[in-house]
Amino acid sequence: MQCPYYDAERCLSCTWMGRPYADQLAAKQDLCADLLADHHDLAWLEPVASREEGFRNKAKMVVGGTVDAPTLGILDAAGVGVDLQGCGLYPASLSATFPVLTAFVTLARLEPYDVPARRGELKHLLLTESPDGDLMLRFVLRSQEAVARIRKHLPWLRVQLPRLVVASVNLLPEHKAVLEGEREILLTEDETLRMRVNGLDLHLRPQSFFQTNTDVAAALYRQAAAWVDEAAPSSVWDLYCGVGGFALHVADGSRDVVGVETSAEAVASATLTARDAGLPRTTFRADDATAFAVGASPADVPDLVVVNPPRRGIGPELAGWLERSGVETVVYSSCNARSLARDLAAMPSLRPVRGRVLDMFPQTTHYEVVTLLTRDAVA
């Protein structure tokens, strides 16, 4: 893939842009294999490739420029907006919404936030597209000053974007480099975007996390589900479950599945999906994954645990609990093989026997790697 923004040095976010895709995939595979080289029984499956472009299901656009000439993209080193509406990582269906959104900024008189001057209202536009083409749009504002105007002109926007299902305002009053704030104001009757993945309708609320690459996320869930079915556990915990992607894929009505996630929004989404899918033995809790596991009674310890932590990994406390818990099987999905390697070193009784790299983020160094761990009685 070639990118004119990268070639012109207007955006250098994709650090592997222009590198042959086969080389990218091989480099990610080699990195993970090298970092986990101490585990001699680990057999690697073929890596899962992605489309090289047009794979993103969400756009996180910093709004710059002026009310009458807004930019959607990033900010340069001086805090000036760089317009990236032609970015090739977005599918055409998502890119087609950007001119409408810039027109809406002007129509509703939403003043872009000027970072150096600390002045203005609209900080980001966060847009997510489902596999069916439906849209969720979030306006990240500094205050509620513009909410009434957004409500007033929202009917116009929905005419221009008839697949817009969910719209909300997120309030981020602080001047700091984060994407969103804590408070969300829903603007539409519908509260969730349905993400159809492997036949499941995962409900995504405005503050819920979902993987950026839907096709590769679907492959990740299929791989985990295959390993879980092979292990045939009667009970499963999905820690750091998000909107329940892993938990809902391994729930078949024959086993008890519990998902744990700190985000109450994500738990509400997962609970709704479980209800719609008719999975009464699948439940979700808003709790810290480590605290939940460490505080459980021995009688509640499941046969199998799925963990999908952030980049820092599960950490020594949860790794230590897994090591001494007696859990027979762990499926560990990681976006950082370095923290994965540290966590595996803290769980010597749980031996990685299979692994697979999934290219969630082409043109960058990022990836997902999933490993199957089984308890070694002689460790």
Side-chain angles (χ1 to χ4, degrees):
M1 175 182 173
Q2 287 298 128
C3 173
Y5 299 118
Y6 186 87
D7 293 341
E9 298 187 353
R10 289 172 56 82
C11 175
L12 300 176
S13 300
C14 295
T15 54
W16 280 3
M17 185 62 67
R19 184 172 182 173
Y21 184 64
D23 291 351
Q24 294 184 35
L25 198 59
K28 294 177 184 185
Q29 174 74 40
D30 290 345
L31 172 68
C32 293
D34 288 347
L35 288 170
L36 303 183
D38 289 343
H39 302 281
H40 304 295
D41 295 330
L42 178 53
W44 289 98
L45 283 67
E46 279 292 311
V48 174
S50 169
R51 286 177 288 165
E52 295 182 44
E53 54 188 297
F55 60 85
R56 288 188 65 98
N57 58 30
K58 66 183 73 172
K60 302 176 181 180
M61 310 297 267
V62 180
V63 184
T66 65
V67 171
D68 292 308
T71 62
L72 303 183
I74 60 174
L75 300 180
D76 65 15
V80 177
V82 177
D83 195 81
L84 300 177
Q85 293 186 49
C87 174
L89 301 187
Y90 303 117
S93 54
L94 205 53
S95 297
T97 69
F98 298 154
V100 176
L101 296 179
T102 57
F104 185 81
V105 171
T106 303
L107 177 66
R109 310 309 293 171
L110 305 178
E111 183 183 359
Y113 185 66
D114 185 325
V115 172
R118 302 193 178 194
R119 181 181 62 244
E121 283 295 320
L122 180 59
K123 296 184 174 183
H124 307 124
L125 290 176
L126 309 179
L127 187 67
T128 305
E129 183 179 40
S130 78
D132 296 327
D134 291 334
L135 298 169
M136 176 166 63
L137 173 64
R138 304 170 65 204
F139 300 86
V140 181
L141 302 177
R142 187 173 69 162
S143 75
Q144 296 190 62
E145 184 272 334
V147 174
R149 295 196 301 279
I150 293 175
R151 289 188 187 276
K152 175 183 176 181
H153 296 290
L154 190 59
W156 177 89
L157 184 61
R158 300 191 77 170
V159 169
Q160 304 303 313
L161 300 177
R163 302 303 296 268
L164 180 60
V165 175
V166 181
S168 66
V169 165
N170 178 273
L171 296 180
L172 179 60
E174 299 88 358
H175 178 83
K176 57 183 180 181
V178 296
L179 192 63
E180 61 188 66
E182 295 182 0
R183 187 180 172 195
E184 201 84 18
I185 302 172
L186 197 65
L187 303 176
T188 51
E189 183 176 338
D190 288 321
E191 300 180 2
T192 66
L193 181 70
R194 291 176 182 260
M195 302 293 290
R196 192 182 306 276
V197 182
N198 297 324
L200 273 172
D201 282 346
L202 301 177
H203 289 269
L204 189 63
R205 291 174 180 266
Q207 290 184 305
S208 301
F209 169 79
F210 187 78
Q211 296 282 7
T212 300
N213 190 323
T214 305
D215 290 344
V216 177
L220 173 63
Y221 296 143
R222 289 194 302 269
Q223 181 61 76
W227 286 343
V228 171
D229 287 344
E230 182 181 325
S234 61
S235 55
V236 176
W237 286 355
D238 178 8
L239 305 181
Y240 310 95
C241 71
V243 296
F246 287 105
L248 293 159
H249 276 81
V250 306
D252 62 359
S254 70
R255 56 180 66 114
D256 296 315
V257 179
V258 178
V260 181
E261 166 62 45
T262 56
S263 168
E265 286 283 295
V267 166
S269 300
T271 300
L272 182 57
T273 301
R275 187 200 68 188
D276 287 356
L279 297 169
R281 296 178 65 179
T282 304
T283 58
F284 296 90
R285 291 186 47 163
D287 202 345
D288 176 79
T290 299
F292 173 81
V294 171
S297 69
D300 293 332
V301 173
D303 300 329
L304 185 148
V305 172
V306 179
V307 291
N308 182 29
R311 289 190 61 79
R312 64 179 181 271
I314 63 174
E317 189 175 6
L318 183 52
W321 179 86
L322 283 168
E323 169 66 15
R324 64 180 182 271
S325 66
V327 170
E328 289 295 329
T329 310
V330 175
V331 176
Y332 191 139
S333 182
S334 171
C335 60
N336 181 2
R338 288 180 172 83
S339 60
L340 170 61
R342 289 196 301 269
D343 290 337
L344 292 178
M347 302 184 291
S349 296
L350 287 161
R351 180 166 49 93
V353 292
R354 283 180 236 164
R356 193 167 201 180
V357 173
L358 301 99
D359 193 12
M360 202 74 74
F361 310 101
Q363 319 309 332
T364 76
T365 59
H366 300 293
Y367 54 85
E368 195 80 12
V369 57
V370 61
T371 53
L372 174 66
L373 319 179
T374 61
R375 186 166 294 278
D376 190 343
V378 299

